[in-house]
Amino acid sequence: MRRALVVLAVLLVLSPVSSAANSPGKAFTIADAGPAKGLVPGGTVVREVRVTNPGNQDIKVIRLDTSVGRPSPNCPANAVTVAPLAAPVVIARNRSADVPLTVRMAASAPDACKNLTFPLTYSGTAIKP
């Protein structure tokens, strides 16, 4: 059985917070809460990202997406996919929450993808709850 270890890079992305009334937005941050462990070709793992609300009002994160970058010339970025946020999450003011995301490695991932760090960029949308 082929085994692959994927350590996902920590990247912060400021994401606008908007309401249905399009009032001025605030920002929240998204960062890796820890590496994905035990991911093998054809496998799926759950990993967490930390969503931080530095504002003075609660937010409801309704979209959280991840873009996967190419880790090397011999390993395509599409060897790994990260599912979008499964359900909205309310983050209290001045608080953080760890949010689960599903990570999959394609069964067809080449051996060159083993033990590589896949660069990730996060984006998201939040509204007033």
Side-chain angles (χ1 to χ4, degrees), residues 2 19 26 34-35 38 51 53 59 67 72 90 94 97 116 125:
R2 294 187 314 172
S19 71
K26 300 201 182 221
V51 178
N53 174 11
I59 61 171
S67 175
S72 80
V90 174
N94 299 308
L116 294 181
T125 303

Side-chain angles (χ1 to χ4, degrees), residues 5-115:
L5 170 66
V6 178
V7 178
L8 301 174
V10 176
L11 298 174
L12 296 178
V13 176
L14 292 180
S15 301
V17 176
S18 62
S19 71
N22 292 323
S23 63
K26 300 201 182 221
F28 63 97
T29 60
I30 309 163
D32 289 324
K37 295 180 181 180
L39 189 61
V40 297
T44 300
V45 297
V46 174
R47 62 166 289 102
E48 293 185 336
V49 293
R50 182 158 295 135
V51 178
T52 302
N53 174 11
N56 59 6
Q57 62 185 6
D58 295 353
I59 61 171
K60 182 178 184 179
V61 178
I62 59 172
R63 193 187 107 253
L64 190 63
D65 297 312
T66 308
S67 175
V68 180
R70 189 173 188 165
S72 80
N74 298 321
C75 180
N78 66 359
V80 168
T81 56
V82 182
L85 182 65
V89 177
V90 174
I91 313 291
R93 62 188 176 123
N94 299 308
R95 298 276 189 233
S96 296
D98 290 348
V99 178
L101 297 177
T102 302
V103 181
R104 292 180 181 92
M105 180 175 276
S108 60
D111 286 340
C113 294
K114 290 181 179 179
N115 301 316

